Every structure is written in C-alpha cells, then in structure tokens.
Amino acid sequence: MKKMTASEFRQLPSISSGQNHNQNVDETVLPIISDVQKNGDDALFRLTEKLDGVSLSTLYVTEEEFQQAESSMSDSFQTALKTARQNLETFHAGQLEKSWFMNPHNGMTLGQKVTPIKRVGVYIPGGKASYPSSVLMNIIPAKLAGVEKITITTPPDDQGNINPHVLAAAKEAGVDTVCKVGGAQAIAALAYGTESIEPVSKIVGPGNAYVARTKKWVYGDVDIDMIAGPSEICIVADETANPAFAAADLLSQAEHDEQAKPLLVTPDWDVADAIQKEISNQMEKLDRKAIIRESLNQNGHIIVTETLAEALDTANRIAPEHLQLMIRDPFANMASIVNAGAIFLGNYSPEALGDYTAGPNHTLPTSGTAMFSSPLGVYDFVKKSSIIHYDKNALSQASQATMSLAEAEGLTAHARAIQIRKDEGNAPTND
Amino acid sequence: MKKMTASEFRQLPSISSGQNHNQNVDETVLPIISDVQKNGDDALFRLTEKLDGVSLSTLYVTEEEFQQAESSMSDSFQTALKTARQNLETFHAGQLEKSWFMNPHNGMTLGQKVTPIKRVGVYIPGGKASYPSSVLMNIIPAKLAGVEKITITTPPDDQGNINPHVLAAAKEAGVDTVCKVGGAQAIAALAYGTESIEPVSKIVGPGNAYVARTKKWVYGDVDIDMIAGPSEICIVADETANPAFAAADLLSQAEHDEQAKPLLVTPDWDVADAIQKEISNQMEKLDRKAIIRESLNQNGHIIVTETLAEALDTANRIAPEHLQLMIRDPFANMASIVNAGAIFLGNYSPEALGDYTAGPNHTLPTSGTAMFSSPLGVYDFVKKSSIIHYDKNALSQASQATMSLAEAEGLTAHARAIQIRKDEGNAPTND
C-alpha cells in the first residue's frame, strides 16, 4: 500500500471503471442469447455440456438433492444460516413500502399503489467458491416484497452437482426452484424463458464478466439489479481506530480477488504507519496471501489528508461500496457522508459482519456507483402504479390548464379529450 | 380497430418490444460516444453543426434567451405551467423518503440514510414538436429530491434556437442550465462530461432511438430512467363508460405517433360497438388524423372478454403504460390491477389529464415494463446507504455465525477480522 496525500490521490485515474465497449465479450454472449431464445432447453443442455462439462437430464435440483445437501451441513453452519436469515429479515422489513393516497382537493384522489414483481431470477455463481450468503441476501428482500416465484440459476460442477451450502441457503431462504445452468445462457433463459425456466421480470445476483454483460444486454426487456464491479473498502481512521482491526478489515477486503480495492484514508501519519505495520504483520498468516498481496499492491492506497473533514470529503469522492468510519464520534460524522453503499461505524462493525450477518444487504453499489445507486433492498422487488381519480367538477377546474398545455404541444386530440367532457353539460354519467 | 376475444388477443405476438440487438444504431452512436469522450466540446460543436445544421459559439442558453422566451408566452400558457407545477409538487411531495434507523437489540443500530443524487441530466427532444410538460415532469421530482444541479440538454433548431415553451417550462421548474445539444452526443456529454457540461450521475427524459440506445450504452457508468418504447393506453370499459369519452381517449393516445397502441378491453359487445362508432365519428375532425388512422390500424385492438374479471386479467397481462378503468366501482376493482404505469379511474380521469396537470408523473413504463418498473418519481433521484453499528458485545454475540459463514465461503481473512476483535479481551477501545 502506497501512502499519498489527498491531492496526489485525486491525480490518479478515476476509481470508476468505465463501461467496457470492447466487443470480445459480446462476441461470446450475443450468439448465446440468440441460441437460447431460439432453441430453449435444447440450447441450455447443449451449452451446459460444452461449457460446464456435464450432460444433464433435467435442469432442476431435485428434492433429494436438497435433502442430501441439508443433511451434510454442520449444525453450526445451519445455525449461522438461521441467524443471518433472521437478522436480514428484521432489517429488510424496515424497507417495506405502503400504498398511499391523498385528496388534495374535493373530488380528487391521487395515489401510488405498490405491488410486488411477480417472478424474479437470482443468479448465483458457481466454480470453486460457494456463496450461500449471496443466496440469502438476494432472496430475503424478494420474499419480503411478496414476489410469487423466485428461480435460482447456478452452474453445476462437472458431476452435475450444485454446492450444498448454496442449496442449504436456498432452502433456509424458502426457495425451491434451483436450476443447474450458469453463464450467459442462464441470464438469457431467465429473461426470455425456455421449456423448463419461466421468464422472469427481474434478474439479480453477482456473476462474472459474461454474466454481467448479458445482464446489460437483456436490460430493458427485464430489469436487472446492477452491473457490479470489483469490491472496495474505504476505511476512514483517526487515532481512536484500533490499527490491528483496521488492518484485518483491509486484508479481508483484499482476499476477495486481485481487483479488490482496499483504501485507507486518515488525517494522521502515525495512524497510517501503525495500520501499515499491522498489515505486514498479519498478512503472512493468511490463507489467501497471494491474492491479498496482489490486491494491496495493485489497488491498495493509503491517503493521508490534512484534516478529518478532508478525509470524509475524500470518502465521498470515492463513493465506496463499503465505508468504515473508525473515528471518534462516527454517528455525528456520518452527517457528512453522502456517497457510500454501506457505512460501518466504530471499531466493532467490520465489513465482514455486514457481509454475512449484520442485517443490511451485502449487495452494494461498486466502482463509485454509490453516487447514484443503492444497496439491494425490498424496494428492488416492488413497483408502483400511479392512481388518478378526478370527478366531473375537479376535471372541469383543471380543463383550461390541461388544454393550454396540450395545444402548446400540438396534441389537439388530447385537448379534445378534455373538451368533450366539458361540452357534455349535465348529462348523467358516472364519475 | 379490430375486435377479437381475449384468447385471440393472447395469440398475437407479444406487446413487449424485444431489445433490438441489431448493430445499425450502434454503428452511429458508438463512434459519437468515443468522439465526445475524447474531444469534449469540440465534438459537440462539430456534431451540432453536422447534425442540427447550426454553428454555435456557446452551448448555453443565455439569460436573455430565457427572458425572450418567457415574454413571448401567453398568459394562459404561463398560468397552465404554474397550475401543472403546483399539482406535480403536491403529488410528488408524497414520495419523499425519510432516513430511518432501528435498534433490534442493545448495542445495535441499523438504518438507511437517504441522500439526493448530486447532479442529474434531463434530455428533452427537439425537432418540430415541443415538450414543456416533459420538462416539468422530469425536473420537479429531481428538485424535490434535493438534486443540486440539473442540466437540460435539447437540440437547437437550425437557427440555434430552443423552443420557447421548453425554456419557459425550465424557468418555471427552476432550472437555469439548458444546453443546446441533442442526440447521442448530448447523452455522452452528460455521462462523461465536457468543458461546458459537467458529468452527471443520472440521465432521464425521453428521446429518439439514438438517444435511447446511447442511454443503454452509458447505463452502468451513470444511471438512466428507462428505455422507453411507444406509448400505450388500455381502456377497460363496461356499460357505465361514456363511449364518446372512451373514444376521445383512444384517439388522443393514437395521435402521439404511428407506433402508439390504443387498446380497448370490454366484456360487452355493445360497448365495443358503441365506442368503435364514436371513434369513426370523431376521427374525421382531428388535426392529426393521418397519424391516428395508422396507429389504430396497425396497433389498435378491441378485445371482448367473457367477464369483467377476464378484462382486468387481460389488462394485467398487457401491463399498459396508461390504464383507464371506465367501469362501475373503479376504486374497488383497482384491487385486481397489479401491472400498470398509471391507473385512471372513472369517466372524468382521462389520460390527457395525467399527461399534463393531474399531479402524478407522465413518465411511465411502456411496452409491458410496468411488470417491473415504476413511474418516474422522487425515489429516482435519491439513493440509500446502509448504516451498521454493533458495539463490542453485540459483535461478540454475532461472531460465531459470521465466522461460520465466512469459513463456508473460504474467506478466512473475513473470519479473522471477526476473531481478532474477540481475541482482544478487555483492552480499552472505542466502540
């Protein structure tokens, strides 16, 4: 980790990763999308054989496979899943939105009706890693929103199996449709449907570059959660920060992958030195130290500012996915934070807690997109309809303004749809 | 307008317009995006000369131009703008969201902080038409959300002028940065910034195919509102519907453009006949009857169902942008509606009212996307940050579950970030 001043940091190329315009990934994913749209399940079986190395007879995970997975889990893992689920449910229940209406004048009812999205797809990556936490994080808000049907797609291994932790988490979250299909073909199947997979209206969940690119292509036909980039942490620390804790948190972020970005911002050179020293001490003991070293060397920065205010301003410019305020009075200083996916306060609220059990979602805006987007939440699984009722008298009062605007836009049939109601006089008609 | 049963209607190709994968539009817009990213204002001036036929010396609308525009407006238009603005503000104020927190257990504070997006761009189409209503609809929710800086981009005419109705609406809505640039180049400038145009975090507003495609490309680097398709109306009518009103509303929808989709759903053949007759009678008198005839012939349908329940179900399958319930007890029947951008109740709540002055937004999900998306609202101009605070004791209680999940995912440095806090014993450290 290199130390630098805030102004040196601002000279660096932007942390935001520009949308990749190159065609390499598209050359792979566009034919797959067409193939799935045209050939349905046939394409899925064929692509799964080709890309995942297994010939399947059904895409569905069976009840027996679920049971095997659950029985193979340790008690402590099952307890952990349950704790995480409960904490997630408690927090996300706070996001439930109500339908509402208002009566601004007599004869007028305006409102907003909130309804769940009917069918949702959740992509869970496969490969060597296993992501039971992503299963919970994506499914619990959808369930609370009232989504009727949730389909998980995840690639099988070359024996046709799905990671048992993922299946146990799906069961704990209350989902029983898990399909053994991954990559671009899974996203296309969720977006457009096949014989086995009902089309959904929204696709959420993490994935590799092919999955992310396919989500961008189908966006518009269906909704998607976001196009996620590499994970970041930004720790703002002062002399009240425990250097060993801060170091452990930067290292935990760095272990995700080589592109992960661990950033430390502090107004105090001694704090910077102390944390840096702890990083060196702790790193050698860690299992994934090769990845960690790459992440720290390539993407890690220690930014030393003049003041705490400049440190907080730097954090806002970064708009980090995870922001830890390891400073005196973190609650009061949170007032200055405007751009962050999640804000962790104090010495005992590490990102790792938020990744698993704290309650809030771990699906967060990356690469500076916290400037305009939000953690995944219940609000991502509902949509709103406006409600408009004017009675005859209320319409009459609004008619002149409405016709004036319609005529200014040259839309005279719009004006006439108002006029015809005024012209009606006193003929009896329902409001 | 052809009459058919609900089951015949379901045989028709889907109303949803698939995302266009063809490269024609991309061949135009991708080079423009690169040009603007590389050459900034130079590209904007050059492209505006080439595509809009005018050589500008500044991109900004001047205060003098604003004043000229305002003084050229009729009193009735100014009054109409003010009425629309007030009604929009009243309704959209109902969408304001609060930051909140909860304390699920001692030592735990969880919450959600709501902050406005800092800078937003609004695209307003130019050409022969003028869209002052779109200016109000896009800007008022952004203003209420607390957006600091709103930039309108709109193409100039070949004299370098902007439609005065648009400028008057921008002033009424409280925006004073209007830039004379349109098309893909405007979207690229808003997304990536130039010397004259500050980059924004979100781009909203309607536009042609090039604008829509460019929005899809920059999506991810910035947020966008939606990729809008042709406009639709679906009227569900029974014998309480005034046939002349229903016909006028279908015709008003049809005048937008040839792709507009006017749909009537009714359980009553007599109602269908009466409305069809009114359409024929009224059409001849309308200014835009050529467009209207095309829209009705190409995209208009009258769907006759067995029952009202089937009519409402058909509306849900269509998921229309605008849904008018011209039926007995529209409020009670609204309970059955799950997919619609806006729901207009009764005989005196025509779509034209909602397009201009009713209060709710007229930027609505099209082409069936009401299954997963919402009207433009204040919620589109804010974003959320999760708040997490655990004290030492609360973290200790959560540590076993957190470490168990981290270890199941092979992320041992995450587990260690928890463990190191448990190992600390009673050393004095701030929470």
Side-chain angles (χ1 to χ4, degrees):
Chain A
M1 301 252 275
K2 285 168 292 251
K3 273 180 281 199
M4 61 185 71
T5 66
S7 77
E8 284 165 346
F9 179 71
R10 285 199 295 275
Q11 307 302 314
L12 294 180
S14 165
I15 191 174
S16 308
S17 66
Q19 283 295 311
N20 181 1
H21 287 175
N22 84 40
Q23 303 283 317
N24 297 347
V25 178
D26 288 343
E27 278 170 16
T28 305
V29 304
L30 289 176
I32 291 178
I33 296 172
S34 303
D35 189 3
V36 173
Q37 284 187 287
K38 201 171 152 194
N39 301 309
D41 276 1
D42 281 352
L44 299 184
F45 285 117
R46 177 167 28 80
L47 289 163
T48 302
E49 184 158 7
K50 182 177 161 197
L51 301 170
D52 301 299
V54 59
S55 170
L56 299 173
S57 57
T58 172
L59 294 172
Y60 298 114
V61 170
T62 62
E63 195 48 42
E64 197 190 340
E65 290 176 291
F66 275 118
Q67 282 170 13
Q68 278 179 354
E70 280 189 286
S71 62
S72 72
M73 294 295 103
S74 68
D75 286 352
S76 75
F77 180 77
Q78 288 286 16
T79 305
L81 273 186
K82 197 176 295 292
T83 301
R85 175 179 60 73
Q86 287 166 346
N87 290 355
L88 282 160
E89 285 174 353
T90 299
F91 175 78
H92 286 85
Q95 295 176 333
L96 285 164
E97 291 174 87
K98 289 192 178 72
S99 298
W100 56 263
F101 68 92
M102 58 168 67
N103 302 114
H105 296 287
N106 277 346
M108 289 172 55
T109 301
L110 302 175
Q112 193 170 282
K113 175 172 165 151
V114 181
T115 44
I117 294 174
K118 192 171 179 183
R119 290 193 297 268
V120 164
V122 177
Y123 189 87
I124 300 294
K128 297 214 178 63
S130 137
Y131 301 99
S133 63
S134 295
V135 174
L136 298 183
M137 295 283 173
N138 281 279
I139 286 168
I140 287 167
K143 278 274 184 189
L144 282 169
V147 173
E148 263 177 43
K149 169 95 187 226
I150 302 170
T151 302
I152 293 178
T153 61
T154 186
D157 67 18
D158 59 10
Q159 301 302 304
N161 295 321
I162 302 297
N163 183 289
H165 293 100
V166 165
L167 295 184
K171 268 293 177 201
E172 179 69 32
V175 165
D176 32 42
T177 307
V178 178
C179 290
K180 297 176 179 179
V181 57
Q185 59 275 23
I187 302 300
L190 289 169
Y192 303 112
T194 69
E195 297 85 339
S196 294
I197 298 181
E198 262 193 303
V200 301
S201 291
K202 183 156 188 168
I203 302 171
V204 300
N208 65 18
Y210 297 95
V211 168
R213 192 66 173 184
T214 312
K215 282 168 75 179
K216 186 173 163 98
W217 277 107
V218 303
Y219 168 69
D221 288 341
V222 298
D223 199 13
I224 64 173
D225 49 352
M226 61 180 68
I227 299 164
S231 192
E232 316 121 21
I233 193 173
C234 172
I235 297 182
V236 177
D238 67 11
E239 73 284 4
T240 68
N242 181 314
F245 296 180
D249 299 340
L250 291 163
L251 291 163
S252 76
Q253 178 59 29
E255 83 171 327
H256 276 293
D257 55 58
E258 293 81 353
Q259 282 73 48
K261 295 191 170 83
L263 303 170
L264 170 64
V265 188
T266 175
D268 188 325
W269 287 96
D270 292 340
V271 170
D273 289 339
I275 294 172
Q276 198 167 27
K277 198 167 148 197
E278 277 288 340
I279 288 172
S280 305
N281 291 347
Q282 292 181 30
M283 182 154 61
E284 291 311 314
K285 298 171 220 155
L286 295 172
D287 298 335
R288 294 162 69 89
K289 68 183 167 196
I291 292 171
I292 292 170
R293 187 170 288 118
E294 275 300 289
S295 160
L296 291 174
N297 288 343
Q298 286 178 24
N299 304 303
H301 296 293
I302 298 176
I303 303 149
V304 184
T305 60
E306 298 283 326
T307 59
L308 178 63
E310 192 189 20
L312 296 171
D313 177 61
T314 300
N316 280 326
R317 289 166 185 269
I318 294 168
E321 183 187 11
H322 307 94
L323 174 63
Q324 288 188 198
L325 298 182
M326 300 177 79
I327 55 178
R328 185 173 284 113
D329 297 329
F331 279 96
N333 283 297
M334 196 177 70
S336 314
I337 299 301
V338 292
N339 295 324
I343 309 171
F344 297 80
L345 306 178
N347 270 310
Y348 292 90
S349 308
E351 184 203 316
L353 178 69
D355 286 344
Y356 294 108
T357 59
N361 213 284
H362 80 190
T363 306
L364 296 168
T366 57
S367 308
T369 60
M371 289 194 195
F372 55 81
S373 58
S374 301
L376 190 73
V378 174
Y379 38 77
D380 287 302
F381 298 101
V382 298
K383 70 272 190 332
K384 291 144 190 162
S385 302
S386 300
I387 311 295
I388 299 166
H389 177 260
Y390 274 48
D391 71 7
K392 188 172 176 173
N393 186 46
L395 181 74
S396 172
Q397 307 244 331
S399 58
Q400 196 176 349
T402 309
M403 290 191 288
S404 172
L405 289 166
E407 278 155 11
E409 298 192 355
L411 295 177
T412 47
H414 282 63
R416 201 175 169 285
I418 305 297
Q419 185 69 48
I420 198 172
R421 286 163 162 94
K422 284 198 77 176
D423 290 346
E424 181 215 18
N426 295 314
T429 309
N430 271 22
D431 281 347
Chain B
M1 300 251 278
K2 285 169 290 256
K3 274 181 279 198
M4 63 185 72
T5 66
S7 77
E8 285 165 346
F9 179 72
R10 286 199 293 274
Q11 307 303 313
L12 294 179
S14 165
I15 191 175
S16 309
S17 65
Q19 284 294 312
N20 178 2
H21 288 174
N22 84 41
Q23 303 283 318
N24 298 346
V25 177
D26 289 343
E27 278 170 14
T28 305
V29 304
L30 288 176
I32 291 178
I33 295 172
S34 302
D35 190 2
V36 173
Q37 284 187 288
K38 199 171 151 192
N39 301 308
D41 276 1
D42 281 352
L44 299 184
F45 285 118
R46 176 166 31 80
L47 289 164
T48 302
E49 185 159 8
K50 182 177 160 196
L51 300 171
D52 301 299
V54 58
S55 170
L56 300 173
S57 57
T58 171
L59 294 174
Y60 297 114
V61 170
T62 63
E63 195 47 43
E64 199 189 340
E65 289 176 291
F66 274 118
Q67 283 170 12
Q68 279 178 357
E70 280 189 286
S71 62
S72 72
M73 294 295 104
S74 68
D75 286 352
S76 76
F77 180 78
Q78 287 286 16
T79 305
L81 273 186
K82 197 175 294 292
T83 300
R85 175 179 59 74
Q86 287 166 345
N87 290 356
L88 282 160
E89 284 173 353
T90 300
F91 176 78
H92 286 83
Q95 295 175 333
L96 286 164
E97 291 175 88
K98 290 192 176 72
S99 297
W100 56 264
F101 68 92
M102 57 169 68
N103 301 114
H105 294 288
N106 278 345
M108 289 173 56
T109 300
L110 302 175
Q112 192 170 280
K113 174 172 166 150
V114 181
T115 45
I117 294 174
K118 192 171 180 183
R119 290 192 297 268
V120 164
V122 178
Y123 189 89
I124 300 293
K128 298 213 175 62
S130 135
Y131 301 99
S133 64
S134 295
V135 174
L136 298 183
M137 295 282 173
N138 282 278
I139 286 168
I140 287 167
K143 278 272 184 190
L144 283 169
V147 173
E148 263 178 43
K149 168 98 187 224
I150 301 171
T151 301
I152 292 177
T153 61
T154 186
D157 66 17
D158 60 9
Q159 301 302 305
N161 295 322
I162 302 298
N163 182 289
H165 293 102
V166 165
L167 295 184
K171 267 293 178 204
E172 180 68 34
V175 166
D176 33 41
T177 306
V178 178
C179 290
K180 298 176 178 179
V181 58
Q185 61 273 23
I187 302 301
L190 289 169
Y192 303 113
T194 69
E195 297 85 338
S196 295
I197 299 180
E198 261 192 305
V200 301
S201 292
K202 184 155 186 168
I203 302 172
V204 300
N208 64 18
Y210 297 94
V211 169
R213 193 66 174 183
T214 312
K215 283 168 75 180
K216 187 172 161 97
W217 277 107
V218 302
Y219 168 68
D221 288 340
V222 298
D223 199 13
I224 64 173
D225 49 352
M226 61 180 70
I227 298 164
S231 192
E232 315 120 23
I233 193 171
C234 174
I235 297 183
V236 176
D238 67 11
E239 73 285 1
T240 69
N242 181 315
F245 297 1
D249 298 341
L250 291 163
L251 291 164
S252 76
Q253 178 60 29
E255 82 171 329
H256 276 294
D257 56 59
E258 293 82 353
Q259 282 72 50
K261 293 192 171 81
L263 304 170
L264 170 65
V265 188
T266 174
D268 189 325
W269 287 95
D270 292 340
V271 171
D273 289 338
I275 294 173
Q276 198 167 27
K277 200 169 146 194
E278 277 289 342
I279 288 172
S280 305
N281 290 347
Q282 293 181 30
M283 184 155 60
E284 292 310 313
K285 298 171 218 156
L286 296 172
D287 298 336
R288 294 163 69 88
K289 68 183 166 195
I291 292 170
I292 291 169
R293 187 169 290 117
E294 276 299 289
S295 159
L296 291 174
N297 288 343
Q298 287 178 25
N299 304 303
H301 296 293
I302 298 177
I303 302 148
V304 185
T305 60
E306 298 283 324
T307 60
L308 178 63
E310 193 189 18
L312 297 171
D313 177 61
T314 301
N316 280 326
R317 289 166 185 267
I318 294 168
E321 183 186 11
H322 307 95
L323 174 64
Q324 288 188 198
L325 298 183
M326 300 177 80
I327 54 177
R328 185 172 284 114
D329 297 330
F331 279 95
N333 282 297
M334 197 176 69
S336 313
I337 300 301
V338 291
N339 296 324
I343 309 171
F344 298 81
L345 306 178
N347 270 309
Y348 292 91
S349 309
E351 184 202 316
L353 177 70
D355 286 344
Y356 294 109
T357 58
N361 213 284
H362 79 189
T363 306
L364 296 168
T366 58
S367 307
T369 60
M371 290 196 197
F372 55 79
S373 58
S374 301
L376 191 72
V378 174
Y379 37 76
D380 287 302
F381 299 102
V382 298
K383 71 274 187 334
K384 292 144 188 161
S385 302
S386 300
I387 311 295
I388 298 165
H389 177 260
Y390 274 48
D391 71 8
K392 187 172 177 173
N393 186 46
L395 181 74
S396 173
Q397 307 245 332
S399 58
Q400 195 177 350
T402 310
M403 290 191 287
S404 172
L405 289 165
E407 278 156 12
E409 298 192 356
L411 297 176
T412 46
H414 283 63
R416 201 175 170 285
I418 305 296
Q419 186 68 49
I420 199 172
R421 287 163 162 96
K422 285 196 76 175
D423 290 346
E424 182 214 16
N426 295 313
T429 309
N430 271 24
D431 280 347

